[in-house]
Amino acid sequence: MTAGTAPLPSVPPPSVPLLSVRDVTMTFPGRRGGRSAPVRAVDGVSFDLAAGKTLGLVGESGCGKSTTGRMIVRLLEPTTGSITYDGRDISRLGRRELKPLRKDLQMVFQDPHSSLNPRQTVARIIADPLLVQGMAAAGARKRAAELMEMTGLIPEHIDRYPHEFSGGQAQRIGIARALATGPRLIVADEPVSALDVSVQAQIVNLMERLQRELGLAYLFIAHDLSVVKRVCNRVAVMYLGRIVEVGDKERVYAAPAHPYTQALLSAVPLPDPVAERARERITLLGDPPSPAAPPSGCTFHPRCPKAQEICRTEAPLLRVAAPGEAREVACHFAAADNP
């Protein structure tokens, strides 16, 4: 084993998901006095994530992606539902019970600079999780230097402050901090959306390498479907707090079953100019409804070009898109469109 490389974590049997989310909701209360209605930011989300794999969670801004990620690492407490990690329901654990599990569940945030304390050195930022877990200061500093090298940073810069680093370097610091405790699952909340395109590729390459070396599982939250296509094994598409389609990446991208997924993929630029000009772009009318006052029935029906009367009155359940297919979709007409 080379210096600075953490040992591979134990991996549960393939049939048992590392993370299992079932019917999770998150409702934020309205303002006092009833001046605004409660907001259901996440509405019955369910999915599984296997050890060492990557699930992409995609959708428009405000659909509940980040709220879902924060509930998984217990920065937010779900209103209802269960979050099972490695066979244990962690959705209702108290602070003391959660502490030993924190080392296994870490998060990388969207804005690298705002997620780093400007008054702390890189040494302290990366070492903090280790100090919380009880490691001595000298050992934590040594580990921080190893993690800097592992993530492509210069260990000699360990006493610098976040403002002395570029955006890409600052995100590497955030990744190093997430790796400090040797996690098995990392929630990456749009980790490249605030970076230049060339830097995005570097960070994606880094995350892929770390996954291979350390056996990490990622919940990769993003709105850029081209990035998700590269890094993820499975894709879950969210709309207004609900998952409307989830399945293997190849199947979802090749033949999207839900009209919303079709619209999202039609907006992804193609590298072939001829194919780009020839294909049909699906334009969604209007903006997503407010989660404080969602439409009746299927919440997508006001913007859906295929909506019929049943869509206005009955909410579709997430079900298998077609017999024998490892994909689920919440649409009344998806199976007919994609037999």
Side-chain angles (χ1 to χ4, degrees):
M1 185 185 306
T2 58
T5 302
L8 290 175
S10 60
V11 177
S15 59
V16 180
L18 180 66
L19 177 71
S20 182
V21 178
R22 288 292 176 270
D23 299 319
V24 165
T25 68
M26 182 70 216
T27 302
F28 294 100
R31 294 179 182 177
R32 293 182 179 179
R35 287 178 292 176
S36 64
V39 175
R40 178 161 284 195
V42 177
D43 189 7
V45 163
S46 299
F47 59 81
D48 292 330
L49 174 58
K53 300 297 184 180
T54 302
L55 173 68
L57 193 59
V58 302
E60 293 171 290
S61 297
C63 71
K65 306 186 301 294
S66 295
T67 301
T68 301
R70 289 171 181 265
M71 284 191 292
I72 288 170
V73 297
R74 287 298 310 276
L75 291 178
L76 292 173
E77 183 172 344
T79 305
T80 61
S82 66
I83 299 170
T84 303
Y85 170 76
D86 199 16
R88 182 182 183 186
D89 188 349
I90 65 171
S91 53
R92 296 293 179 266
L93 294 183
R95 191 171 184 177
R96 182 175 299 178
E97 296 171 303
L98 271 175
K99 184 177 179 180
L101 287 173
R102 293 283 190 198
K103 60 183 178 58
D104 285 348
L105 306 168
Q106 293 293 319
M107 191 162 185
V108 175
F109 297 91
Q110 177 178 357
D111 189 334
H113 281 294
S114 66
S115 65
L116 304 177
N117 191 331
R119 298 185 178 184
Q120 290 184 349
T121 64
V122 173
R124 182 57 188 267
I125 289 171
I126 299 176
D128 251 351
L130 296 170
L131 297 174
V132 170
Q133 292 292 331
M135 182 179 286
R141 179 181 173 88
K142 179 181 179 182
R143 180 62 178 154
E146 294 173 349
L147 289 165
M148 289 186 70
E149 186 173 5
M150 186 188 300
T151 54
L153 296 166
I154 300 173
E156 287 74 16
H157 295 168
I158 195 169
D159 291 315
R160 293 187 177 183
Y161 290 85
H163 73 270
E164 300 179 77
F165 294 87
S166 68
Q169 291 172 325
Q171 192 60 291
R172 289 173 188 267
I173 296 170
I175 294 172
R177 176 179 59 185
L179 293 174
T181 57
R184 297 172 61 189
L185 169 64
I186 290 180
V187 175
D189 187 6
E190 304 212 30
V192 298
S193 63
L195 306 176
D196 293 338
V197 174
S198 60
V199 180
Q200 287 182 11
Q202 296 172 18
I203 297 300
V204 168
N205 289 338
L206 171 64
M207 295 184 69
E208 289 180 325
R209 175 175 63 80
L210 292 171
Q211 184 175 47
R212 291 192 303 269
E213 294 177 356
L214 306 179
L216 298 169
Y218 291 134
L219 177 64
F220 197 96
I221 299 170
H223 62 265
D224 188 336
L225 281 94
S226 58
V227 174
V228 170
K229 184 178 182 180
R230 172 175 170 178
V231 303
C232 298
N233 307 105
R234 288 170 55 80
V235 178
V237 182
M238 285 190 73
Y239 184 80
L240 207 65
R242 300 178 182 178
I243 290 181
V244 297
E245 185 167 358
V246 58
D248 292 337
K249 170 185 66 178
E250 290 80 8
R251 183 60 178 155
V252 170
Y253 276 77
H258 196 281
Y260 179 61
T261 311
Q262 294 168 5
L264 290 180
L265 289 174
S266 78
V268 178
L270 296 177
D272 183 354
V274 176
E276 174 68 20
R277 288 193 295 268
R279 73 170 176 168
E280 180 182 357
R281 177 76 53 94
I282 301 174
T283 303
L284 298 178
L285 301 177
D287 297 320
S290 169
S296 60
C298 175
T299 54
F300 184 61
H301 85 258
R303 306 173 72 194
C304 181
K306 301 178 182 179
Q308 298 184 30
E309 185 59 33
I310 189 175
C311 304
R312 299 177 177 87
T313 58
E314 184 177 331
L317 300 177
L318 194 65
R319 56 188 173 85
V320 176
E325 187 174 349
R327 176 173 52 163
E328 294 176 296
V329 59
C331 180
H332 292 298
F333 304 103
D337 292 344
N338 291 276

